[in-house]
Amino acid sequence: MTTTSKIKSIDFYRKIPRDLTEASLSGAGLSLIAAFAMIFLFGMELNNYLTVSSTTNVVVDRSKDGEYLRIQFNMSFPALSCEFASVDVSDALGTNRYNLTKTVRKYPIDPNLKIVGPEFHPGPIPNPTSHGDDDHEGEGAHVLTSSTFDEYARRYSVLVVNFYAPWCIWSARLKPSWDKAAGIIAEKYHPDTGRILLGKVDCTDNNDLCRKHHIQGFPSIRIFRKGHDLKDEHGHHEHDSYYGERDTDSLVKAMEALVPKETTLALEDKTNGTVKRPAPRAGGCRIEGFIRAKKVPGNIIISAHSGSHSFDASAMNMTHYVSQFSFGRELNFWMRRELYRIYPHLASVYDTVEANLTGRIYVSQHENITHDHYLQVVKTEVVSLQKRKEFSLLEQYDYTSHSNTVQNTNVPVAKFHYELSPMQVLVKENPKSFSHFITNVCAIIGGVFTVAGIVDSMLHGAMRMVKKIELGKQF
């Protein structure tokens, strides 16, 4: 027995000579049906193999110690001036940050929530350390009223006005220094020359005038230049604010720097940036940006805040419209495409469902109302598999909110208290084995072939039996 014969003896698939086989129409039809069935089932199995499957579980939050949470917001306060609007953050670990400006932008808005000017750059919250004289005798600053204000503004090249309230402790401290500085300026630059005048307005008696110039904190010192306080296309006035030291010498020095030269109509501003800056052009403010906070319970507080101004709590209105309030980072194009691939349902929810606060307006029915928002935040983490390695694709944060209003004697605020749930939703991509796919494909092909062969044998046997019966009837 030759080697070739020995090898042939182990053939599992011994061939029947073609001359010993018989083709039939029923076999041809079954063969076509079996081929289409194989192709269809193979396509279904391939689609199942290529489709990403995922499992959803509720587990303990897997955040690492020291991680930070990004909180994004866009809110409009139609009755809170950008001049004093402050964004403060605190948390359960004792961290306190006041008047955030690095990642927060402010824009003046009108009562219809439309932006009416460029971004407001407030600089540091004013906190003068000196108020100078305690006593002063003399006429002091000129008293201005709603009926005389415009006349003095037209008469003098520079009009510097102290808007005050008699009940304000800071206004009382400024009064002696302001009156004395006004007297010194009047001696150096006689009022008849029309070059500069220091005046004062009692906001308790001239409330409409103070509202017109968006005075929300007392005392507020405004600098009006002749010809520079004309209304623009939005109907708003342009002038400056003074935030320097409040002692007599500092006031006199700053005022002298504002006096126009006799030889030119141009006004030279020699004050430094910490002393003077543009006053708010409207009484409302849009606050937008983000903060990075530790993943512990905390608060975001928006209020009127200053270290050297008083606020009339009964006149403060914290009505606000929330355009956006969300947790977590935004998705870039690649992450969004990967998210659609892994978990289309979550991606559609991410795109269409708005958070509870978004798109809502919270109105103060009357002044001195504090708005408290309590947010329960739940984390959803999507874990992707790439090259057999896991990586966190997305950390999305959904939350439920409950809001409440309370009236108190303090300056009202809008407070957002957030608390993260200790549990999280984990969406994980499940890997699929290629060997399992090949096994299923072989099972499909073999199974269809075998079943088709059995059916063909049954049909062929039935047809032979019918023929035998017919032959028996003839004979």
Side-chain angles (χ1 to χ4, degrees), residues 14 119 126 169 219 271 284 297 312 327 351 356 381 419 435:
R14 296 180 178 244
E119 180 180 353
I169 182 175
T271 57
D312 186 359
F327 297 83
D351 288 336
N356 284 345
E381 183 179 4
E419 185 169 351
S435 60

Side-chain angles (χ1 to χ4, degrees), residues 32 38 66 118 131 171 248 289 346 349 379-380 397 432 473:
L32 292 175
M38 291 179 187
H131 286 76
S171 296
T248 302
L346 181 63
V349 170
K379 173 183 174 182
T380 299
Y397 293 84
K432 291 187 177 180
K473 286 183 178 180

Side-chain angles (χ1 to χ4, degrees), residues 104-344:
V104 176
R105 300 182 300 276
K106 304 173 186 176
Y107 298 91
I109 60 174
D110 61 14
N112 296 321
L113 308 183
K114 295 183 179 179
I115 296 178
V116 295
E119 180 180 353
F120 185 79
H121 297 280
I125 289 293
N127 188 21
T129 58
S130 175
H131 286 76
D133 310 276
D134 294 330
D135 298 304
H136 171 69
E137 295 182 0
E139 296 182 358
H142 285 67
V143 177
L144 306 179
T145 63
S146 298
S147 59
T148 62
F149 185 88
D150 291 338
E151 178 185 351
Y152 279 93
R154 290 191 298 266
R155 183 186 305 176
Y156 291 92
S157 297
V158 177
L159 176 64
V160 188
V161 183
N162 170 24
F163 294 89
Y164 71 97
W167 50 263
C168 171
I169 182 175
W170 300 104
S171 296
R173 292 182 181 181
L174 174 62
K175 184 179 184 299
S177 302
W178 187 254
D179 287 337
K180 187 174 181 179
I184 295 175
I185 292 296
E187 291 179 1
K188 290 187 176 182
Y189 309 95
H190 197 276
D192 292 341
T193 62
R195 300 176 68 185
I196 187 170
L197 179 72
L198 272 65
K200 57 185 177 182
V201 174
D202 185 349
C203 286
T204 58
D205 296 332
N206 302 274
N207 186 48
D208 292 340
L209 178 61
C210 294
R211 285 181 178 270
K212 175 183 177 181
H213 295 289
H214 316 300
I215 305 301
Q216 294 185 351
F218 309 108
S220 291
I221 301 175
R222 298 286 194 258
I223 304 168
F224 300 86
R225 294 181 174 89
K226 186 177 181 179
H228 287 247
D229 192 41
L230 300 179
K231 293 183 179 180
D232 60 12
E233 65 273 15
H234 297 287
H236 301 286
H237 294 265
E238 291 185 357
H239 44 270
D240 299 322
S241 295
Y242 173 84
Y243 288 127
E245 298 293 345
R246 295 177 180 176
D247 61 279
T248 302
D249 292 339
S250 298
L251 289 170
V252 171
K253 184 178 179 181
M255 298 306 111
E256 286 181 336
L258 297 172
V259 178
K261 301 297 183 182
E262 294 182 352
T263 57
T264 178
L265 294 177
L267 299 182
E268 296 183 9
D269 185 4
K270 299 180 180 179
T271 57
N272 57 55
T274 61
V275 174
K276 182 188 72 64
R277 61 174 180 259
R281 304 177 64 198
C285 189
R286 176 177 296 176
I287 304 174
E288 62 181 49
F290 69 92
I291 65 170
R292 294 177 69 248
K294 296 179 180 179
K295 292 186 176 182
V296 295
N299 302 284
I300 299 177
I301 302 174
I302 299 177
S303 65
H305 179 71
S306 173
S308 58
H309 291 78
S310 297
F311 302 96
D312 186 359
S314 62
M316 297 295 295
N317 189 313
M318 294 302 293
T319 295
H320 56 283
Y321 173 78
V322 183
S323 299
Q324 178 192 16
F325 199 99
S326 60
F327 297 83
R329 58 180 178 173
E330 296 182 351
L331 296 182
N332 56 36
F333 173 77
W334 180 86
M335 292 176 62
R336 191 176 295 273
R337 185 179 64 178
E338 188 72 5
L339 183 62
Y340 273 106
R341 184 183 70 85
I342 297 175
Y343 200 26

Side-chain angles (χ1 to χ4, degrees), residues 21 24 28 31 45 52 55 111 124 156 171 191 235 247 275 284 289 328 335 342 388 404 421 432:
T21 60
S24 64
S31 297
E45 183 64 24
V52 177
T55 56
Y156 291 92
S171 296
D247 61 279
V275 174
M335 292 176 62
I342 297 175
R388 300 298 175 179
N404 186 37
S421 172
K432 291 187 177 180

